[in-house]
Amino acid sequence: MAKRESIEDAGETRLDPMGLALAEARAATARGEVPVGAAIVKNGAVLATAGNAPLARHDPTAHAEMLAIRAACATLNDERLSGCDLYVTLEPCAMCAAAISFARIRRLYFGAYDPKGGAVEHGPRFFTQATCHHAPEVYGGIRESEARELLRVFFRERR
């Protein structure tokens, strides 16, 4: 779990969950993983943070969102994350969107849009389907340029 990042605001400290997710994305890059990070927050407390780890875990489901959801559920000892907000640096794929729905995440905040693999604003638009049992409030484009730049640099260096 990444250390707590906060923002100073007129002498008051407040949590920066997208900053935590971006820190996890940078850590994923350092491990050779695609730079995606996630943080789950409830009532101002960080329950879990995670970065992509499919290569290290030899697990195609080890996306940042999936790992953060698993850790937050373990922290709460509950399969539901009602009242929790998920911050992730990239628009979730279909697998992660389904997990977000099943976990009953209250709000989803994501950074970069993903026209190719995203399933929230692109592709299947998972949360708008009749078969979706729970749709979170969705807010895209949060610190988008920062998240997009991490991905751009990562893939440029591998080509």
Side-chain angles (χ1 to χ4, degrees):
M1 192 161 169
K3 68 181 186 179
R4 184 178 176 118
E5 286 192 17
S6 60
I7 298 173
E8 295 294 326
D9 188 8
E12 189 177 305
T13 301
R14 61 184 168 92
L15 188 62
D16 178 17
M18 188 57 84
L20 292 170
L22 286 161
E24 287 288 346
R26 286 186 207 93
T29 298
R31 296 188 307 270
E33 303 277 2
V34 175
V36 178
I40 296 180
V41 176
K42 183 172 186 174
N43 299 327
V46 178
L47 298 179
T49 62
N52 264 3
L55 297 175
R57 293 180 181 226
H58 308 287
D59 178 358
T61 70
H63 290 193
E65 303 95 308
M66 301 293 285
L67 297 174
I69 287 169
R70 290 174 188 149
C73 286
T75 297
L76 295 177
N77 196 31
D78 196 342
E79 76 279 8
R80 302 275 193 243
L81 296 175
S82 302
C84 293
D85 300 331
L86 170 62
Y87 294 78
V88 63
T89 59
L90 182 64
E91 177 183 350
C93 68
M95 173 185 68
C96 293
I100 290 164
S101 178
F102 294 145
R104 305 298 195 263
I105 297 283
R106 176 179 60 180
R107 292 186 197 107
L108 167 64
Y109 299 90
F110 69 86
Y113 290 85
D114 187 358
K116 184 177 178 184
V120 176
E121 300 289 336
H122 296 89
R125 299 177 191 262
F126 188 89
F127 300 129
T128 65
Q129 300 303 313
T131 55
C132 178
H133 298 290
H134 169 79
E137 294 175 32
V138 176
Y139 303 92
I142 311 298
R143 294 174 73 173
E144 178 181 9
S145 60
E146 198 173 344
R148 187 177 53 237
E149 183 65 9
L150 286 172
L151 290 158
R152 188 186 69 73
V153 169
F154 178 84
F155 286 112
R156 183 188 67 210
E157 290 176 356
R158 276 147 184 80
R159 291 188 175 120

